[in-house]
Amino acid sequence: MCEECYSSDDRITPLLDPLDCLEKHTQYICGSCGRYICIERDPKRGLQRWNFPFKSLEIAKLYLRTADHTMKKSCGIYEITGRNGRVSYKIFAEDKDMRAYLSKNKDKKCEKMHPVFMVGAYKEYANTEVRKLSYDKVKKYLAERVKIQRRFVGNATGSGRQREVENR
């Protein structure tokens, strides 16, 4: 796992519509492994991807570093359960932010009332960048993603053959 961005796959993000995200959104560029993570702020609501709920703890971990960087502190991932029993994971800067969210969303609860995942103290990294990407950087990153996906799918089939994986 990368010490800076908490991922063991340095080309896993973006998860949804990668080409569009990489071309149009500001990216947090991990100074340790080079992974790109969307850190774009919605101009209307001021929200970033990390402000929204995630389907799994693993996916939430992929965006935790952008929250840490934005808040300049170590944030936590909380397990939230809706009235219907659906579990999601949300990132908050502090316990009090999670409690404020729950007070506005009476149909949700957090059993543990503490993060299910959090790294140690916040740390800055020397080679980190936050910027929009050039066309060449987008093209190179996506090509590296496809190469990695082909390798993993080829190994997962057990047939010894590599299958092509569509990136879009």
Side-chain angles (χ1 to χ4, degrees):
M1 178 174 88
C2 178
E3 179 184 331
E4 179 178 349
C5 73
Y6 328 127
S7 176
S8 55
D9 184 343
D10 63 2
R11 294 298 180 266
I12 194 165
T13 48
L15 298 176
L16 302 172
D17 202 1
L19 180 61
D20 188 59
C21 182
L22 294 172
E23 285 183 335
K24 296 178 182 171
H25 297 163
T26 303
Q27 302 293 317
Y28 175 96
I29 304 167
C30 178
S32 301
C33 73
R35 181 165 73 95
Y36 298 161
I37 315 166
C38 186
I39 196 167
E40 185 77 11
R41 186 177 298 275
D42 177 89
K44 291 180 185 168
R45 298 181 290 170
L47 300 175
Q48 294 170 282
R49 176 63 189 103
W50 66 265
N51 295 118
F52 295 93
F54 297 94
K55 289 189 240 179
S56 72
L57 177 60
E58 292 73 27
I59 294 172
K61 285 180 185 180
L62 296 175
Y63 292 89
L64 181 60
R65 181 60 190 172
T66 59
D68 292 351
H69 180 78
T70 300
M71 303 305 292
K72 301 295 185 217
K73 66 187 307 178
S74 184
C75 297
I77 301 171
Y78 296 75
E79 185 177 272
I80 306 293
T81 305
R83 184 179 316 147
N84 61 2
R86 186 174 143 236
V87 175
S88 63
Y89 296 84
K90 277 193 61 62
I91 299 170
F92 296 102
E94 299 177 4
D95 285 350
K96 70 176 183 158
D97 299 325
M98 181 268 304
R99 286 191 295 276
Y101 171 81
L102 292 177
S103 72
K104 292 177 189 170
N105 296 274
K106 302 288 185 196
D107 62 328
K108 308 223 184 288
K109 62 183 178 179
C110 180
E111 294 289 333
K112 295 184 173 104
M113 298 301 285
H114 293 289
V116 292
F117 182 84
M118 185 176 194
V119 295
Y122 175 74
K123 183 177 170 184
E124 294 278 344
Y125 291 86
N127 298 316
T128 298
E129 296 179 60
V130 175
R131 63 178 168 81
K132 296 228 177 185
L133 304 172
S134 69
Y135 173 76
D136 290 340
K137 292 281 186 190
V138 170
K139 192 171 141 184
K140 181 177 186 245
Y141 188 83
L142 289 175
E144 290 168 356
R145 275 176 58 120
V146 169
K147 185 177 178 181
I148 290 167
Q149 288 172 338
R150 284 180 182 154
R151 184 178 54 216
F152 285 128
V153 170
N155 290 339
T157 62
S159 66
R161 295 187 340 235
Q162 292 187 348
R163 290 189 342 212
E164 294 293 316
V165 175
E166 288 288 322
N167 194 16
R168 287 190 65 162

